[in-house]
Amino acid sequence: MKPGLQFRLNQQLTLTPQLQQAIRLLQLSQLELEAELRQIAESNPLLEFTDDNPENADGDEREIIEPVPANGAGTSASDTVDDAEAPEWSDGDGAGEDPIDFSGGGASSRNGASHDDDNFEPQSAAPETLQEHLLWQLNLSHMSVRDRAIAAVLIDALNPDGYLTESMESLLTALPGDLKASAAEVEHVRRMLQRFDPTGVASLDLRDCLRVQLEQFDPDTPQRELALRIVDSELELLARNDIARLARKLRASEDETAAAAVLIRSLDPRPGAALDVTPVEYVAPDVYARKEGGRWRVSLNPDCQPRLGLNQHYCGLIAQARGTDASWMRGQLQEARWLIKSLESRAETLLKVAEAIVRRQSAFLDYGPEAMHPLVLREVAEEVGMHESTISRVTTRKYIHTPRGTFELKHFFSSGVSTEDGGSASATAIQAMLRKLVDAEDPRKPLSDQAIAEELHRKGIQVARRTVAKYREAMRIPSSSERQRAG
């Protein structure tokens, strides 16, 4: 037998059911773990949740905290940092970013959960999707049965921004087998869909989307016709906000051109995005990091540790049982003890890994994102004496609450870029520096990617222009031409 095959067989033999269960418990999030344990407890009478017993309940409420996104900065307990940015708009095909600043455009609202004084769990209806919203209108429309069938196919093909990116051939192929329609018929139905709410859905590109919204305005709307001319032929100049040149090209006054630009910016370039709302996810932190006596200390969140124990009543019945009943109950007792031991090991591993991360990233906790050090799984694995795959499982969907906010443990890992002094800076730190440079730039003369790279070079960070562009795009920061503002 080949050595490699023998090694894999040996590995499979060592993965006992108990070890497989321990590995599975390690990779589960807090909510998944609780659901898994309750399912196991229902099938094993030797197990019970101690907090289900009124005599053992302590009445404490679990602290619920909204996690900080992986690419964002946290908020301090004493400082509230407003990281809100202007919305990013997609271009006409819904695939990229639109260079035009629609800062005055349609805004979407997010309704937060409200809390009252009673101990009732707040209830909210499931958010309505774009497709559901359009189908509801379609059912109330006066379209023929044939047009409705075509419209249903078009609605199903819309991307989250509300654009129709499928080719005409694909749409014709997607029609029901007994429905033979021409491209002209499909185009006619598409134009009817564009007048549905939100206006502009089923558009082919940005120009098409903006035009149909302008056409919905009253013909007497000031500068409507001029705005239509800009949308038809001068979107590129509008993107650069060069009002003077735009006015000369359209042979209009600068005041009229500026008013037309304001009208265009009031439109919604992503009509479907308002209905593509991802529910806010709230998590309970698994661990806490606090600074006490000048040192960072890590502790497990006691409310997130499952209170699972042995049911003493059933344990007492084992001695009285006979035959197969006794054998079955002893097996259940052995499994219960192993599960409790696996949970203790999970908590110990989680604490050990969190402590290692906090030791490595104490500068981040002290000074913020710009002080984040490069860190990879291998470094933590070597420090705690575990395999990299174990570290990956422990840090996925596990959260730590710090004075700077609540972060997924994976947030603290990032690759490094060389510095002039022979050290390295993490990608997170470089992104924080990039954000700081962009926020401080002159809006009339925004920094190009090359200029940002040169500024970072002056700070000792050796980073290429293409790397700056990659980080900027990952942070959803528009290019310099898109950030340009009129003087």
Side-chain angles (χ1 to χ4, degrees):
M1 181 179 296
K2 295 182 179 179
L5 179 58
Q6 180 64 51
F7 175 74
R8 288 194 295 271
L9 288 175
N10 290 339
Q11 276 192 317
Q12 294 174 2
L13 292 174
T14 57
L15 288 178
T16 62
Q18 292 82 3
L19 184 56
Q20 292 177 13
Q21 184 186 63
I23 293 174
R24 172 172 170 75
L25 295 179
L26 192 61
Q27 65 189 13
L28 294 178
S29 67
Q30 175 58 34
L31 292 178
E32 292 171 337
L33 176 65
E34 186 171 348
E36 177 90 359
L37 294 180
R38 290 196 177 277
Q39 184 176 358
I40 295 175
E42 288 178 0
S43 61
N44 189 336
L46 274 297
L47 285 170
E48 68 173 359
F49 280 89
T50 56
D51 55 353
D52 287 344
N53 188 341
E55 296 179 0
N56 297 329
D58 55 12
D60 293 338
E61 293 184 358
R62 179 173 297 176
E63 181 180 5
I64 302 297
I65 299 173
E66 183 177 356
V68 176
N71 62 347
T75 55
S76 169
S78 58
D79 292 329
T80 301
V81 182
D82 185 6
D83 287 329
E85 302 176 11
E88 299 292 340
W89 308 114
S90 294
D91 62 12
D93 59 5
E97 297 179 0
D98 175 53
I100 306 174
D101 173 25
F102 286 87
S103 56
S108 60
S109 62
R110 293 177 182 269
N111 298 323
S114 60
H115 300 277
D116 51 29
D117 296 333
D118 297 325
N119 292 325
F120 291 107
E121 182 179 355
Q123 302 289 328
S124 59
E128 185 180 36
T129 66
L130 174 63
Q131 277 73 18
E132 290 171 343
H133 184 60
L134 294 174
L135 288 174
W136 172 74
Q137 296 176 72
L138 180 62
N139 290 332
L140 298 177
S141 70
H142 296 291
M143 287 189 185
S144 65
V145 175
R146 180 183 180 84
D147 286 346
R148 287 188 186 185
I150 297 174
V153 172
L154 295 178
I155 291 172
D156 186 61
L158 298 180
N159 69 12
D161 289 335
Y163 284 93
L164 188 62
T165 58
E166 298 286 339
S167 66
M168 182 60 70
E169 292 75 13
S170 299
L171 295 173
L172 292 174
T173 304
L175 293 175
D178 57 345
L179 179 60
K180 302 298 182 183
S182 65
E185 285 182 278
V186 175
E187 175 64 13
H188 174 70
V189 175
R190 185 188 72 81
R191 291 193 175 277
M192 287 193 288
L193 276 180
Q194 285 186 290
R195 271 70 180 175
F196 277 32
D197 177 61
T199 306
V201 294
S203 294
L204 301 178
D205 53 33
L206 179 62
R207 182 172 283 104
D208 186 27
C209 179
L210 298 180
R211 166 166 270 282
V212 73
Q213 292 181 56
L214 284 172
E215 289 173 348
Q216 295 296 100
F217 282 93
D218 188 281
D220 295 330
T221 302
Q223 312 310 326
R224 172 179 176 270
E225 294 305 317
L226 184 57
L228 284 169
R229 290 171 58 195
I230 294 174
V231 166
D232 285 340
S233 59
E234 303 299 339
L235 278 181
E236 291 75 14
L237 274 181
L238 180 63
R240 294 196 291 271
N241 217 355
D242 191 344
I243 301 298
R245 186 178 175 188
L246 195 58
R248 290 195 302 270
K249 198 162 186 179
L250 295 173
R251 297 181 180 179
S253 69
E254 290 194 16
D255 289 342
E256 292 173 336
T257 305
V262 170
L263 181 60
I264 296 173
R265 295 181 195 284
S266 70
L267 308 177
D268 191 346
R270 297 170 58 200
L275 289 163
D276 183 36
V277 179
T278 302
V280 177
E281 179 184 4
Y282 293 89
V283 298
D286 299 89
V287 289
Y288 287 98
R290 300 182 180 89
K291 197 166 190 178
E292 300 175 357
R295 297 183 60 184
W296 286 100
R297 300 185 182 278
V298 180
S299 61
L300 294 172
N301 181 357
D303 291 336
C304 282
Q305 305 311 307
R307 297 181 176 90
L308 196 65
L310 296 177
N311 187 306
Q312 297 303 319
H313 172 70
Y314 282 100
C315 288
L317 295 178
I318 294 179
Q320 305 175 20
R322 296 290 183 271
T324 56
D325 289 341
S327 177
W328 180 81
M329 293 188 70
R330 281 194 293 269
Q332 295 294 301
L333 178 60
Q334 183 178 1
E335 290 184 9
R337 286 173 173 168
W338 180 265
L339 178 61
I340 294 173
K341 184 178 179 180
S342 297
L343 290 174
E344 294 172 352
S345 176
R346 179 184 186 274
E348 181 182 348
T349 301
L350 178 59
L351 181 61
K352 188 182 297 185
V353 171
E355 288 174 339
I357 292 175
V358 169
R359 278 195 296 270
R360 296 285 187 129
Q361 300 294 8
S362 59
F364 164 80
L365 298 176
D366 286 327
Y367 306 110
E370 291 186 34
M372 181 82 83
H373 292 302
L375 185 64
V376 294
L377 294 174
R378 174 178 50 79
E379 296 177 75
V380 174
E382 291 175 352
E383 180 173 341
V384 300
M386 298 176 182
H387 196 272
E388 291 181 37
S389 62
T390 302
I391 306 301
S392 177
R393 294 187 183 98
V394 173
T395 55
T396 300
R397 293 176 298 172
K398 314 296 190 305
Y399 296 86
I400 180 170
H401 180 61
T402 75
R404 292 194 173 274
T406 299
F407 302 88
E408 189 178 12
L409 290 176
K410 291 177 65 175
H411 173 74
F412 297 92
F413 293 88
S414 64
S415 57
V417 174
S418 300
T419 59
E420 287 184 350
D421 58 4
S424 61
S426 73
T428 302
I430 296 173
Q431 289 178 357
M433 296 177 191
L434 192 158
R435 169 64 67 186
K436 191 174 181 179
L437 289 171
V438 170
D439 290 343
E441 70 184 4
D442 183 350
R444 292 171 297 180
K445 296 180 180 179
L447 298 172
S448 65
D449 293 340
Q450 183 60 41
I452 293 175
E454 292 172 357
E455 287 290 335
L456 292 175
H457 285 172
R458 281 189 276 273
K459 296 177 181 292
I461 309 297
Q462 301 298 323
V463 59
R465 182 202 60 78
R466 61 180 178 275
T467 304
V468 171
K470 181 181 71 173
Y471 288 162
R472 175 180 56 74
E473 291 169 359
M475 299 169 68
R476 297 181 65 81
I477 298 176
S479 65
S480 58
S481 61
E482 297 167 7
R483 303 197 306 272
Q484 188 176 20
R485 298 292 185 268

